[in-house]
Amino acid sequence: MSDSFRLGLTGGIGSGKSTVAGMLAQLGAAVLDADAISRALTAAQGLAIGPIRNCFGAELITEQGSLDRERMRTLVFSDPGAKQQLEAIIHPLVAQETARQAQAAQDAGHRCLVFDVPLLVESNHWRQKVDQVLVVDCLPETQIQRVLTRSGLDRAAVLAIMAAQARRETRLQAADAVIFNDHMSLHELALQVRALAPGLRLSLV
């Protein structure tokens, strides 16, 4: 029987979702990072590499044996069918590994499992798997500036990524709780995370 609280954590690119995930981990939560799992699956010798090569051809695989992310990103942005094919390969493998990690974390005694899922709102199944959805939100221009500052992407590329994600209003409608992370210091953000902790079965001691 499970007594772990299952929190779905999401937010658009540049929202600060990963920072919040780290703060929850510091409070004792087990964070299951769907992006990290996906990257591992598409790294050299990852479980998704064979199916991707079979579906898209060897030109989408680097000499090192990992997914060529730049070429794949270009392809899926221009071809919705390719995006669906890639998701059909990746998503079941991510779900399988996430379930394995969640069981291990629960067995280890974690009272709160945080499912860090960028596309949680876009997915048809994640909402039914969690007890609550926490959305990390900020203004769109703040998202853009944060991503421009930390990455080598240009503004058009950032806007394309944002356009491929759920609309801000859609995420907020799906939220049980929201952290508005705009013009907020890390200390202020940590206070907001700590305020949610008791309801997530996390201890502040």
Side-chain angles (χ1 to χ4, degrees):
M1 185 177 70
S2 168
D3 65 348
S4 299
F5 189 91
R6 302 169 75 89
L7 178 70
L9 175 66
T10 194
I13 187 171
S15 64
K17 174 183 61 64
S18 296
T19 302
V20 169
M23 292 175 173
L24 289 166
Q26 289 176 348
L27 293 173
V31 177
L32 302 114
D33 185 336
D35 265 357
I37 292 171
S38 179
R39 286 193 298 272
L41 290 167
T42 54
Q45 299 182 339
L47 291 178
I49 293 300
I52 289 172
R53 182 185 288 111
N54 292 338
C55 183
F56 295 99
E59 61 270 20
L60 269 298
I61 307 300
T62 68
E63 292 182 1
Q64 292 73 37
S66 62
L67 174 67
D68 189 326
R69 298 183 186 283
E70 285 302 317
R71 294 190 71 168
M72 183 60 79
R73 184 180 294 117
T74 300
L75 177 62
V76 298
F77 274 138
S78 62
D79 183 351
K83 181 173 185 286
Q84 291 177 350
Q85 287 177 304
L86 180 64
E87 289 175 347
I89 294 170
I90 297 290
H91 287 183
L93 293 173
V94 170
Q96 180 180 336
E97 177 60 17
T98 301
R100 187 195 68 76
Q101 291 187 13
Q103 187 61 55
Q106 186 174 290
D107 292 345
H110 286 278
R111 300 290 309 283
C112 178
L113 308 181
V114 176
F115 296 85
D116 181 348
V117 184
L119 301 180
L120 184 146
V121 173
E122 294 89 327
S123 164
N124 292 323
H125 66 273
W126 268 109
R127 186 61 186 88
Q128 290 74 41
K129 294 186 176 182
V130 297
D131 299 309
Q132 189 178 100
V133 172
L134 171 61
V135 171
V136 184
D137 180 51
C138 65
L139 296 174
E141 186 58 33
T142 301
Q143 288 181 260
I144 294 167
Q145 292 305 318
R146 285 175 179 162
V147 179
L148 289 175
T149 298
R150 77 185 189 203
S151 73
L153 299 175
D154 60 22
R155 189 180 183 91
V158 178
L159 288 172
I161 293 171
M162 290 172 62
Q165 296 182 333
R167 295 174 64 245
R168 182 186 180 201
E169 294 78 8
T170 304
R171 277 195 300 270
L172 291 174
Q173 287 172 0
D176 298 299
V178 176
I179 292 178
F180 184 58
N181 181 29
D182 209 293
H183 296 96
M184 188 185 297
S185 69
L186 283 175
H187 175 69
E188 291 169 327
L189 181 59
L191 289 177
Q192 291 226 14
V193 172
R194 288 174 67 85
L196 295 173
L200 305 177
R201 301 183 189 169
L202 294 171
S203 173
L204 295 176
V205 177

